[in-house]
Amino acid sequence: MSDQEESAKDEEVTERVDSHLSHEELVNMTKTTLNTLIKNDPLLCDLPENVTLDEINAQIAVIQGTALTVNVRREDGEEVKVIVDQRDATVSHLKRAFQRSTHLRLLRQRGRKVAVSWTHIWKTNWLVFAGEKLRDDNSKLRDLGITNRATVNFAKRYRDKLRSKYE
């Protein structure tokens, strides 16, 4: 079949699909096709159903070596996989990526938005890597020794009453 014949056939199929399927049906068909493609791709098969474009792009960046996968271990022992840019990622980027990942996980579990006070969470918890608290949000992950597949832990912030009393 020539390129012109293929093009004409594609246009015909597109017209047929456009005229017979509603927007909702097309969205469902696209989601189903995308999920099938992802499940059958050895590089993308770890992604969840109803994956977002950001999640696909992040996974591709990891495969290409331009992003890091960091596991954030919560206090309950659950690990959350977070993907951040490898070059200029900071503690702040890691926190935002954790927030995005948690938001998507909660949305998928509960089927609706869940309000989380991230200000409260970051005021009451530290991220800790290799026994060191990640105090400076502007510190670069690579300068802190955080590499691909590293694990960062949550730790409760306990107020040092003596220090705060005399400062």
Side-chain angles (χ1 to χ4, degrees), residues 13 26 39 42 44 54 66 74 76 87-88 90 99 109-110 112 163 167:
V13 168
L26 282 172
K39 284 180 182 177
L44 301 175
D54 285 341
T66 61
R74 298 181 347 176
D76 63 4
R87 295 164 298 190
D88 298 323
T90 63
Q99 289 172 207
Q109 284 176 349
R110 299 190 182 165
R112 61 181 171 80
R163 188 171 6 138
E167 288 184 331

Side-chain angles (χ1 to χ4, degrees), residues 52 54-55 74 80-82 95-116 118 121:
T52 65
D54 285 341
E55 290 173 307
R74 298 181 347 176
V80 178
K81 184 172 102 172
V82 175
K95 287 179 177 180
R96 277 187 268 140
F98 177 76
Q99 289 172 207
R100 261 192 322 273
S101 180
T102 300
H103 170 75
L104 284 170
R105 185 175 49 80
L106 290 172
L107 189 60
R108 287 181 179 122
Q109 284 176 349
R110 299 190 182 165
R112 61 181 171 80
K113 280 188 171 182
V114 178
V116 176
W118 290 106
I121 288 172

Side-chain angles (χ1 to χ4, degrees), residues 8 34 36-37 63 73 80 82 89 97 116 122 124 148 152 160 166:
L34 184 59
T36 302
L37 288 171
I63 292 164
R73 185 176 296 135
V80 178
V82 175
V116 176
W122 298 127
T124 58
N148 196 30
V152 175
D160 185 354
Y166 294 106

Side-chain angles (χ1 to χ4, degrees), residues 78-89:
E78 181 181 344
E79 284 193 8
V80 178
K81 184 172 102 172
V82 175
I83 298 174
V84 291
D85 184 51
Q86 187 171 0
R87 295 164 298 190
D88 298 323

